[in-house]
Amino acid sequence: MTVEDLRALVRTIPDFPKPGILFRDVTTLIGDGPGFAAAVGHMANRAEAAGAEVVAGIEARGFIFGAAVAARMGLPFVPVRKPGKLPVPVLAIDYALEYGTDTLEVDPGAVPGGAKVVVIDDLIATGGTALAAVELLRRAGGTVAQALFAIDLPELGGAQRLRDAGVAAEALLAFEGH
Ligand code: AMP
């Protein structure tokens, strides 16, 4: 399955969730068996090259790719969760959205000290979400040097922001616009 085959499996919905946004929907990619397997296989190859010891996924669509990569590699999976979901005292970080703020949380005992963590999400736009997850996983004791995405929107500069924070960012596909 080529990169162009994978690209064709991503559905684009204009003006969702609000006017002006081109929503890049991975539901159709994960809904294609060979396409999902190929995407997970490419991500696992990159994670292996980065020396991953732990795979972290960002709620919610990052769980789909991240958990599949972790299981394929036989590595632990750490969920980076939305607030109020974990049943233990958490490490939490607030981060800015276009309007307002959001919060991510992680179990402080989930990452073995110094372990090499690869962070996975479906898509990187401004990078705010991924940067917050990186910071949180570092506070949890992880060494975070690699982030992987199915889709990058390069015009929004998120991958560059991650690189500036010392994290190599790679995506299977790049799409124009935002
Ligand atoms: P950001 O923090 O700006 O990098 O936004 C990344 C998060 O928002 C990811 O978890 C994406 O799932 C979601 N997201 C942002 N922009 C889009 C878009 N154009 N299409 C689909 N998902 C998006």
Side-chain angles (χ1 to χ4, degrees):
M1 176 134 338
T2 67
V3 167
E4 285 314 309
D5 294 331
L6 289 180
R7 179 183 298 279
L9 291 172
V10 176
R11 176 167 60 182
T12 298
I13 311 284
D15 299 321
F16 182 88
K18 51 189 180 182
I21 303 286
L22 276 179
F23 190 80
R24 305 296 185 176
D25 183 17
V26 294
T27 308
T28 39
L29 170 60
I30 63 176
D32 183 279
F36 187 29
V40 169
H42 286 306
M43 284 180 163
N45 289 342
R46 298 309 308 149
E48 190 173 4
E53 296 169 314
V54 170
V55 178
I58 304 173
E59 190 165 355
R61 291 182 293 261
F63 289 1
I64 298 168
F65 292 98
V69 169
R72 185 181 167 117
M73 298 177 75
L75 293 178
F77 177 71
V78 173
V80 178
R81 298 226 60 178
K82 299 271 171 67
K85 304 287 189 186
L86 289 165
V88 292
V90 295
L91 292 172
I93 187 166
D94 296 326
Y95 62 101
L97 297 173
E98 196 176 349
Y99 301 103
T101 62
D102 211 341
T103 304
L104 290 174
E105 296 182 347
V106 73
D107 178 341
V111 181
K116 277 191 190 167
V117 182
V118 170
V119 185
I120 295 185
D121 203 356
D122 67 323
L123 181 146
I124 182 163
T126 66
T129 308
L131 271 173
V134 167
E135 172 62 23
L136 198 53
L137 291 160
R138 285 177 171 166
R139 284 188 207 163
T143 303
V144 190
Q146 178 79 58
L148 299 171
F149 306 89
I151 297 171
D152 181 19
L153 306 182
E155 286 172 40
L156 293 173
Q160 186 57 49
R161 284 178 75 195
L162 277 179
R163 285 182 205 113
D164 292 344
V167 181
E170 292 175 61
L172 305 179
L173 303 167
F175 281 89
E176 289 179 3
H178 53 82

